[in-house]
Amino acid sequence: MYALKRFGQHWLSDATILERIAAAAHLGAADRVLEIGPGLGSLTAHLLEHSSVIAVEIDERAVAHLRHRFAAEPRFTLIEGDILGLPLPPEATAVVANIPYNISGPILARLTGTPSAPVRQFRTIVLLVQLELAERITARSGNRTYGALSVRLQYLAECELLFGIPRTAFRPPPKVDSAVIRLTPRPFALQATDPAYLEALVTRAFATRRKMLRNCLKGWVESTRLLLALESLQIRPDARAEDLSVENFVRLSNLLVALP
């Protein structure tokens, strides 16, 4: 079966890499794993060695192939459809998947939620994604790839870049290198008193990332109030968004909400 560009399909068949991906989730017999876009079922076969699998596949050709390949496997459940238009299977306890790169953002949002509406269904989420995206998700403050996505996801989960995968490992090879990330959803150590305000603050702060924070937030937060909050948190008045850690953003958000 040839890969279709519209579904972002790139087949990975290296058994060593596939087993490393499956092993990264630390699955047990009691787990029910959600796999998004199983395609030919190469990763599925490795996941079934550890736990039950609920696979969601949009490509009708792949659906027919998977039904035939795993017809005798009672721990395999197949759902045909678009993961972005279907409810998440409530029985799933973990996610392991090679997701389409062209819809990685919306899939991540479905699996993790937002600071004001976090998804706490999964104990672990292991995904094969574009290397550039993996670096953005796991970047720390001061790094050029650190941005609003980094803050949002690190507020919602522990984020780890586990290992890289070269483009030559896929058929057909994508135009970019890839990496495997692991997200462990959990409440952040310091909770935002108003998560929706935190989301808005982070979005505005990184909207023009080369500007100083006080200029990015001009017209949204009164200047004197912002400078007072920055001084209270011992953050330089000329700081940019990329200079603030996730904890800094939460503290700043909480202080701005509390100040009269």
Side-chain angles (χ1 to χ4, degrees):
M1 185 170 64
Y2 59 88
L4 291 178
K5 186 176 180 180
R6 74 175 186 271
F7 293 139
Q9 292 171 335
H10 298 278
W11 311 131
L12 175 63
S13 57
D14 186 301
T16 301
I17 296 175
L18 290 166
E19 183 51 38
R20 286 185 73 188
I21 296 171
H26 303 296
L27 301 171
D31 279 308
R32 302 204 69 185
V33 182
L34 170 62
E35 185 186 5
I36 300 164
L40 299 175
S42 300
L43 177 58
T44 314
H46 287 267
L47 294 174
L48 285 167
E49 293 177 6
H50 302 274
S51 64
S52 299
V53 174
I54 305 166
V56 177
E57 177 58 63
I58 192 172
D59 184 352
E60 60 183 18
R61 304 170 310 147
V63 168
H65 172 83
L66 292 164
R67 281 181 176 150
H68 175 74
R69 178 171 181 176
F70 299 110
E73 177 52 76
R75 296 181 304 159
F76 177 72
T77 302
L78 181 61
I79 300 172
E80 183 175 2
D82 183 352
I83 188 63
L84 298 180
L86 295 170
L88 295 173
E91 65 272 34
T93 58
V95 182
V96 184
N98 172 7
I99 60 175
Y101 294 173
N102 57 340
I103 55 170
S104 295
I107 288 176
L108 280 164
R110 285 294 313 277
L111 299 179
T112 62
T114 65
S116 56
V119 174
R120 296 278 185 253
Q121 176 177 342
F122 308 109
R123 64 166 186 79
T124 190
I125 300 168
V126 175
L127 301 175
L128 198 167
V129 298
Q130 185 176 340
L131 176 60
E132 181 185 350
L133 177 61
E135 291 173 338
R136 286 171 55 205
I137 289 170
T138 58
R140 302 300 175 185
S141 57
N143 189 295
R144 64 179 181 81
T145 59
Y146 181 72
L149 179 66
S150 317
V151 176
R152 181 178 68 82
L153 283 178
Q154 290 174 34
Y155 179 80
L156 293 167
E158 293 291 338
C159 303
E160 304 169 84
L161 195 164
L162 299 182
F163 56 90
I165 300 177
R167 62 193 75 183
T168 53
F170 297 86
R171 179 178 57 84
K175 296 179 180 179
V176 296
D177 288 325
S178 305
V180 174
I181 58 171
R182 180 168 56 210
L183 310 180
T184 306
R186 47 87 183 106
F188 193 66
L190 176 66
Q191 285 288 286
T193 54
D194 186 340
Y197 187 90
L198 172 64
E199 291 177 52
L201 173 66
V202 171
T203 299
R204 289 173 182 270
F206 282 101
T208 47
R209 60 181 300 136
R210 299 311 306 164
K211 288 186 178 181
M212 289 184 288
L213 195 61
R214 68 172 189 259
N215 291 331
C216 292
L217 302 179
K218 191 174 182 180
W220 190 66
V221 178
E222 196 272 321
S223 180
T224 303
R225 188 161 162 256
L226 176 61
L227 289 174
L228 179 63
L230 293 175
E231 181 182 3
S232 176
L233 297 172
Q234 298 183 330
I235 297 172
R236 299 191 327 270
D238 62 345
R240 293 179 170 84
E242 64 193 43
D243 298 322
L244 275 65
S245 67
V246 179
E247 182 176 337
N248 285 155
F249 270 111
V250 178
R251 291 189 184 281
L252 179 59
S253 172
N254 289 351
L255 192 51
L256 290 173
V257 168
L259 284 174

